[in-house]
Amino acid sequence: MTVSEKKGFSLSAEMAGRGLRAPVNVTWEITLKCNLHCVHCLSSAGEVRDTELSTEECRGLIDQWADLKVFQVNIGGGEPFAREDFIDLMAHAHEKGLVTCVSTNGLLVDRSLAKRLAEFPMLYLQVSLDGATEEVNDAIRGQGTYRRILEAMDCLSREEVPFSINTVLTRRNYPQLNALRNLAKEYGAELRVSRFRPSGRGKKSMDELGPHKEQLEAFAEWLERHDRVRTGDSFFCLTSEKRRIKGLDMCGAAKMTCCVSPCGKVYPCAFLQEETFLCGEVRSQRFKEIWDRSTVLRQFRSLEVQSCSKCYRFESCRGGCPAMAFHMYHDISMPDPECLVNLKLGAGHKLQGVRPRTTGSGWNNLSLNKAGLFSPVTWILALLPFS
Amino acid sequence: MGSAECTNPCRGDGGRVKQKGQGNRSRQQARTENMEKKYKLGPGTQVRKEGFGLLFYTMQGPRLYFLSSGPLLDSKFFEGKRTLGQYLKDRPLSRSQSHSLECSLDRLREKGVLLEC
């Protein structure tokens, strides 16, 4: 038996597709409190909710994840640093062996906080910046934010805190990708580009900010030329074969990850925090019970986008992002409208004029995939980067 | 410990220039050396048991490594207390399974996921 990376990818998808004993990582929206009001915010963050998990509840949840050997917790919101107990919670997660990846808008980051963050070796930090100029960034994140984000990046850089700039790709900042890459380099940071999804306030701003078809196609080529730019799991439906080896080749929702809301509700992913996709609540159930028994998560693990099954890129994306399909068609079993094939066929372009829907169950035309047998004694090492 | 280049059983020649009649002996020697190895997790690496075998996570990347070893390997092996030979003593493996296991561990070592200790 040989070690095969390429073969390993499809096998890793199969292995993960059957459901792991615990998530590899959990997306945790730790608060909805935010000092900004970004027009594309996936969570419509702003005011803190009365029902958000208490410090003790948060600590208990971290303990449960540590017991399950969850490897990483991706923390966002809202603005995580707006929670007074956040640093203590983060330290508790690290003590328990959990790596954290924290997404911040940077406004609360000063020299003092940067000094403290430098003491956490198990922390990845992402600073959101949505343009390489004041004009483009501030139109999305708010007036004066560009300057303050750069000040935060300066503090982090001086204190040698490793971080990445996280940019949500929009039609406005697409022309600035090279400038953003240079900006990241200037601060000793990495650039991470995320996908615009029409959830939260993004539903309203999609028509104005969503990247054009031509931009997405050109972006796929740009990514191929800039292999050090990270994309998380955002663009697996767009990336070329050459870049595939560097990233996730499927939607990880319910298979490798899930999302916990500030109030302890569990969903398959952060972009599907809708009642239809509620998997359970950590206040009334153990997290493990939800992960193992939730009907929603089970259905997601078996989801197969039937109309994509004959596509030559099916093994590369398995139908793409169900959240995109849900928000555009209200049907998670529809193909991703912005996959490389649909863009070339023009399907994605037609969708530019389609407004995200707001009603319906989202489970229309669902087909289930029966997983094939997998021999446990074949020794194959599969490599799967996921950041 | 012998260097990995000399003991990689995945290479037909065991990492050496093969002389006529010496191939089998080199391979056998490589296998013997591999069975003497102990492994521990590399820096920033964690491992957990899954139905298919072992799932490794490393902060560098971060990356995941799926090792479809079924029930044969336990994460405790990577505490570095027992050699591979000692660990497999009560777990009878076919020659090809053993060979695959040695290759996989070596591959993980090359990737920095495991360290020899």
Side-chain angles (χ1 to χ4, degrees):
Chain A
M1 184 58 65
T2 57
V3 175
S4 161
E5 290 193 8
K6 183 64 187 166
K7 196 175 179 185
F9 272 98
S10 57
L11 282 169
S12 61
E14 187 180 331
M15 286 187 253
R18 292 169 181 212
L20 303 176
R21 289 183 175 167
V24 166
N25 59 30
V26 176
T27 300
W28 190 11
E29 296 209 332
I30 202 162
T31 182
L32 281 178
K33 187 177 180 182
C34 192
N35 43 2
L36 291 183
H37 196 82
C38 304
V39 296
H40 61 358
C41 179
L42 72 101
S43 316
S44 302
E47 294 299 315
V48 64
R49 305 298 194 269
D50 294 339
T51 52
E52 290 187 4
L53 297 179
S54 68
T55 304
E56 279 316 301
E57 286 172 321
C58 288
R59 288 174 71 91
L61 195 50
I62 289 168
D63 292 346
Q64 287 188 53
W65 289 333
D67 289 345
L68 292 172
K69 291 204 166 186
V70 171
F71 297 123
Q72 184 175 317
V73 186
N74 300 333
I75 305 174
E79 169 54 41
F81 291 108
R83 259 189 89 125
E84 287 179 4
D85 57 1
F86 181 64
I87 296 277
D88 291 338
L89 289 171
M90 190 171 70
H92 183 64
H94 295 165
E95 277 166 24
K96 290 282 180 175
L98 291 161
V99 173
T100 58
C101 176
V102 176
S103 182
T104 176
N105 63 31
L107 265 63
L108 298 173
V109 177
D110 54 14
R111 281 298 285 273
S112 160
L113 180 56
K115 264 191 175 65
R116 290 192 72 184
L117 296 178
E119 293 165 7
F120 293 109
M122 291 174 80
L123 165 71
Y124 293 107
L125 196 66
Q126 294 178 0
V127 180
S128 299
L129 181 71
D130 286 322
T133 59
E134 197 166 332
E135 183 193 4
V136 171
N137 174 79
D138 288 7
I140 294 171
R141 306 193 70 80
Q143 202 171 5
T145 54
Y146 179 79
R147 184 183 50 77
R148 292 177 67 183
I149 295 165
L150 259 53
E151 283 170 8
M153 286 170 22
D154 187 54
C155 291
L156 294 168
S157 185
R158 283 171 190 272
E159 296 302 328
E160 298 182 356
V161 180
F163 70 97
S164 62
I165 291 177
N166 191 28
T167 301
V168 176
L169 185 69
T170 64
R171 71 182 63 168
R172 304 264 176 80
N173 63 26
Y174 167 77
Q176 300 186 328
L177 283 171
N178 285 325
L180 282 161
R181 201 168 61 92
N182 291 337
L183 195 62
K185 202 173 171 184
E186 200 179 306
Y187 284 88
E190 293 183 314
L191 176 64
R192 185 178 185 275
V193 185
S194 298
R195 190 172 174 187
F196 188 106
R197 291 182 179 91
S199 63
R201 282 196 284 274
K203 283 178 189 170
K204 285 184 181 166
S205 52
M206 178 73 172
D207 280 353
E208 193 189 337
L209 292 176
H212 293 299
K213 165 191 178 293
E214 294 78 11
Q215 289 178 327
L216 286 168
E217 284 182 294
F219 175 66
E221 289 169 15
W222 185 86
L223 274 180
E224 194 174 324
R225 291 195 302 275
H226 299 101
D227 64 355
R228 297 192 70 178
V229 174
R230 291 165 176 259
T231 55
D233 63 353
S234 285
F235 290 105
F236 60 89
C237 62
L238 267 183
T239 45
S240 66
E241 289 305 313
K242 191 178 163 189
R243 197 186 155 94
R244 290 231 72 76
I245 198 104
K246 296 180 181 297
L248 195 67
D249 55 356
M250 57 179 232
C251 165
K255 303 176 186 84
M256 294 200 282
T257 187
C258 66
C259 170
V260 178
S261 79
C263 306
K265 293 183 176 182
V266 179
Y267 299 95
C269 96
F271 299 98
L272 287 173
Q273 295 185 63
E274 309 269 343
E275 202 58 31
T276 302
F277 302 111
L278 179 63
C279 308
E281 299 192 39
V282 298
R283 275 199 172 109
S284 54
Q285 291 166 282
R286 301 284 295 172
F287 180 83
K288 172 71 171 163
E289 186 189 337
I290 299 170
W291 179 256
D292 286 344
R293 296 187 190 168
S294 156
T295 309
V296 173
L297 292 178
R298 284 184 181 192
Q299 283 176 313
F300 255 82
R301 286 170 197 142
S302 304
L303 178 67
E304 188 173 86
V305 181
Q306 214 165 29
S307 54
C308 290
S309 59
K310 291 199 168 69
C311 175
Y312 76 98
R313 275 179 58 88
F314 182 69
E315 285 300 316
S316 301
C317 79
R318 293 172 187 259
C321 172
M324 270 313 274
F326 173 75
H327 290 295
M328 301 311 283
Y329 305 119
H330 227 82
D331 183 352
I332 58 166
S333 61
M334 289 288 280
D336 188 324
E338 292 180 347
C339 82
L340 210 52
V341 173
N342 282 337
L343 285 173
K344 287 191 193 306
L345 288 174
H349 185 54
K350 283 175 194 165
L351 286 167
Q352 295 290 336
V354 177
R355 295 194 67 81
R357 295 191 177 182
T358 52
T359 57
S361 72
W363 291 106
N364 307 339
N365 307 319
L366 186 68
S367 61
L368 300 179
N369 171 34
K370 287 180 186 167
L373 293 174
F374 182 75
S375 164
V377 289
T378 47
W379 296 80
I380 294 178
L381 182 63
L383 313 177
L384 184 62
F386 70 105
S387 178
Chain B
M1 269 311 141
S3 71
E5 284 70 25
C6 293
T7 59
N8 187 341
C10 306
R11 302 174 190 201
D13 59 3
R16 295 179 175 86
V17 178
K18 197 192 289 182
Q19 301 295 316
K20 197 177 178 183
Q22 289 185 346
N24 288 341
R25 199 170 61 214
S26 297
R27 227 169 285 152
Q28 185 57 44
Q29 191 180 341
R31 185 160 189 274
T32 305
E33 288 175 14
N34 282 331
M35 287 298 152
E36 290 300 312
K37 287 179 180 172
K38 293 177 183 174
Y39 291 95
K40 65 176 183 180
L41 298 175
T45 302
Q46 300 180 43
V47 63
R48 78 177 188 215
K49 194 95 182 79
E50 286 291 345
F52 58 80
L54 294 174
L55 180 59
F56 294 85
Y57 162 96
T58 175
M59 272 191 81
Q60 285 74 41
R63 284 173 192 273
L64 291 177
Y65 298 85
F66 292 74
L67 183 60
S68 59
S69 50
L72 295 173
L73 261 190
D74 193 271
S75 53
K76 283 184 181 166
F77 170 64
F78 301 104
E79 289 172 359
K81 291 175 183 165
R82 297 162 75 186
T83 64
L84 184 59
Q86 287 167 339
Y87 187 82
L88 295 177
K89 199 177 169 188
D90 302 324
R91 297 170 175 80
L93 291 182
S94 70
R95 198 179 182 84
S96 67
Q97 283 176 326
S98 179
H99 176 72
S100 295
L101 173 59
E102 291 166 50
C103 284
S104 296
L105 293 175
D106 200 58
R107 185 76 193 278
L108 286 166
R109 185 197 53 75
E110 284 173 1
K111 295 280 177 185
V113 178
L114 298 179
L115 299 174
E116 262 185 72
C117 55

